[in-house]
Amino acid sequence: MAYPDYPFPSQPPSYIRHPDVLAYLQDYAKQFNLLPYIKFGASVESLSRQECQGKSCWTLTYSDLNSHQTTTTTFDAVIVCTGHYNKTSYPDIPDMDQFPGAVTHSHYYREPSVYKDKVVVLMGPGPSGTDIAIELVETAKQVYLSCHKKPAASLPSEINVKNSIKRLHSNGYVEFENDSQLVKADCVIFCTGYAYEFPFLTSSCDIRLENQHRRIRPLFMHIFHMYHPTLSFVGVCQKIVPFGQFYLQAAVVVSVLLKETPLPSLEEMKLDEENDYQDRLNSGLKPRHAHFLGERQWSYNDKLAAMIKIKNPVFKAVEKTYKFAMLWRHNDITQYRHQNYRIIDEDTFEHVPPDNNHKQNLP
C-alpha cells in the first residue's frame, strides 16, 4: 500500500488500521517537506474556468473554517484529489423512509457493540458487506446479508444470505426479492458504495457526472479533462492498490503540465475513453463501473508508466501479493485479515501466516 518512494517505517500487520495509515501519511508529508504547501482548515467553495490569453485558467475560492474569511486565487492548473469515499450511495428501496428501525450506510460503521442483540440486515455482497457481517456474528442476535448475486467467498453459516431487498415496511419487516419470508429487523446497513461528488465545480468547468454519479466525463485515462487538460483528477479509479497508482497518476500529471509529455489529440482521447467504457460493458460490468479497475489496474499502471517513459514503480511483487491475498480471502474469508505479507524484491513476496512458522517465499 505504501508509496513507491517511501516504505512503511516498520512492518505493521498487512491489514493495517486507519491510525497506521494516518501516521504514515503524516510521516510522508514531513519526509518530503510538504506541510508548508498544505493549507489546513480550509473549505473549497468554488472552482471556475476562464480564458486567460487564449488558454484556460482556474479561479478558486476557499473559506477559512476558523475565521470564515474567503479568499479567491487564480491558478494555471488544478488537480482534484478529493477521493470518492464521501458521498454515500443508497439504492432506491420503496418505503425506506417509513422503516421504523435504523437505516445507515457502511461508511458510518465503526464497531459491533452498537448492534448487540439486534437483528441486522446488510445489503451488498462486497468487501464492506461481508466484513461487517462477519464481525457482527458474535454480537448481533441475527445477521442477514442481502445480495443481488452470490457472494464471492463462502460465508460462515451464522450469516443468512438473502436476495436483494425489495421493500422496507413501516412495521419493521424487510421484504426480499422472490422470497415469501419477511424478516423483522432492528436496523438495515447499506453497503452499496459511493458516488462521485464535486460540489465546488461550477458549470464553467464542463464536468458531467453520469450513471447515478458513478462516471466522470470527459476524462482521458481517468485523469485529464479532455477539453481543458490543465484540470485533472487523481484517485478516481476504484478497486485498486491505491497509493502506488496515485503516485503514478501524479507523475503523469506533472509531466504533462511541464510539457515533457504531450497528450494525444482530442479525437484520440475521446476514442480512448469510449473504447475503455465499452470494454467494461462488454465484459459484463455495469455502467456504474466506469472507473472500476480491479484486474485492469496492472495494465493501466503499465500504461501510465509508459506514457512518461519510466519503469513502473508498482513492482510485479505488489501485483502478485494482491492476487494471492485476494485468493486467500476467497478461500478463507474469516481468517484472511490475519495473514501478513512482505515484499522481498521487485518480483518476489513472502507470505507470513499468523504463527510465523511457515514462511513461504513466492515468486
Side-chain angles (χ1 to χ4, degrees):
M1 185 175 178
Y3 286 111
D5 57 353
Y6 192 70
F8 279 94
S10 60
Q11 181 62 40
S14 293
Y15 290 90
I16 58 177
R17 300 182 64 83
H18 59 84
D20 302 312
V21 179
L22 175 61
Y24 172 79
L25 292 174
Q26 290 170 333
D27 290 343
Y28 187 93
K30 292 175 184 177
Q31 173 69 22
F32 294 100
N33 194 33
L34 301 179
L35 293 176
Y37 305 99
I38 301 174
K39 188 167 187 62
F40 294 101
S43 175
V44 175
E45 303 297 331
S46 66
L47 179 70
S48 58
R49 185 186 68 86
Q50 287 82 36
E51 287 291 328
C52 301
Q53 298 180 342
K55 61 181 181 180
S56 294
C57 60
W58 306 91
T59 299
L60 185 143
T61 298
Y62 66 90
S63 60
D64 187 295
L65 296 179
N66 295 315
S67 67
H68 304 293
Q69 292 182 333
T70 60
T71 302
T72 298
T73 309
T74 299
F75 295 93
D76 294 316
V78 171
I79 309 170
V80 179
C81 311
T82 52
H84 53 81
Y85 292 112
N86 184 54
K87 182 177 176 58
T88 54
S89 179
Y90 291 85
D92 186 15
I93 302 293
D95 297 334
M96 187 159 66
D97 59 338
Q98 302 298 316
F99 184 73
V103 176
T104 186
H105 192 279
S106 57
H107 178 74
Y108 305 106
Y109 177 86
R110 292 297 178 268
E111 48 89 23
S113 65
V114 176
Y115 301 94
K116 182 174 175 58
D117 298 327
K118 296 184 181 298
V119 177
V120 183
V121 175
L122 301 101
M123 183 173 184
S128 294
T130 52
D131 285 352
I132 294 173
I134 290 170
E135 192 166 275
L136 289 178
V137 162
E138 299 298 325
T139 304
K141 181 179 179 180
Q142 287 181 299
V143 178
Y144 295 85
L145 182 62
S146 165
C147 309
H148 66 279
K149 63 180 181 180
K150 183 180 178 181
S154 297
L155 299 173
S157 59
E158 296 90 342
I159 297 174
N160 302 284
V161 177
K162 291 284 191 177
N163 296 329
S164 294
I165 295 176
K166 182 178 181 180
R167 182 181 296 272
L168 299 181
H169 292 268
S170 59
N171 60 2
Y173 280 91
V174 180
E175 182 180 354
F176 303 93
E177 296 284 354
N178 303 316
D179 191 339
S180 60
Q181 180 190 15
L182 275 63
V183 170
K184 183 70 178 294
D186 298 298
C187 47
V188 177
I189 305 175
F190 287 98
C191 309
T192 44
Y194 299 83
Y196 296 101
E197 183 180 45
F198 308 103
F200 51 87
L201 295 183
T202 63
S203 59
S204 63
C205 296
D206 298 326
I207 285 291
R208 306 190 306 275
L209 294 177
E210 301 178 355
N211 301 346
Q212 300 174 312
H213 286 213
R214 300 292 187 96
R215 186 185 185 193
I216 309 167
R217 298 192 70 197
L219 290 189
F220 172 61
M221 291 289 290
H222 310 278
I223 300 174
F224 294 100
H225 193 311
M226 293 184 209
Y227 296 91
H228 314 296
T230 50
L231 176 62
S232 56
F233 296 75
V234 168
V236 161
C237 298
Q238 301 176 33
K239 198 171 184 184
I240 58 169
V241 177
F243 291 172
Q245 187 171 107
F246 299 166
Y247 181 94
L248 269 169
Q249 289 179 327
V252 170
V253 170
V254 169
S255 183
V256 169
L257 292 178
L258 293 177
K259 301 187 184 305
E260 298 171 348
T261 299
L263 290 175
S265 69
L266 175 60
E267 290 305 314
E268 289 174 315
M269 289 191 289
K270 290 166 65 176
L271 181 61
D272 182 87
E273 181 195 43
E274 183 60 20
N275 287 342
D276 179 73
Y277 182 60
Q278 292 300 325
D279 178 67
R280 294 164 193 282
L281 299 183
N282 292 336
S283 70
L285 292 176
K286 303 294 184 183
R288 67 177 182 270
H289 295 141
H291 303 293
F292 180 99
L293 288 186
E295 188 61 31
R296 290 175 169 82
Q297 66 181 300
W298 314 114
S299 59
Y300 173 77
N301 291 343
D302 288 338
K303 191 172 181 179
L304 292 178
M307 280 181 68
I308 54 177
K309 298 180 173 59
I310 65 170
K311 181 178 180 180
N312 188 349
V314 182
F315 296 143
K316 197 70 176 176
V318 175
E319 176 183 348
K320 292 179 178 179
T321 306
Y322 178 90
K323 292 179 177 179
F324 186 89
M326 290 300 101
L327 181 62
W328 192 281
R329 183 183 188 279
H330 180 271
N331 292 334
D332 192 350
I333 196 169
T334 63
Q335 296 298 315
Y336 79 98
R337 285 185 175 273
H338 302 297
Q339 310 305 310
N340 291 305
Y341 306 93
R342 296 191 184 100
I343 301 296
I344 303 301
D345 54 38
E346 293 186 11
D347 201 56
T348 309
F349 73 96
E350 180 182 60
H351 173 219
V352 185
D355 61 11
N356 208 33
N357 292 326
H358 299 89
K359 293 183 180 180
Q360 183 181 12
N361 283 12
L362 298 166

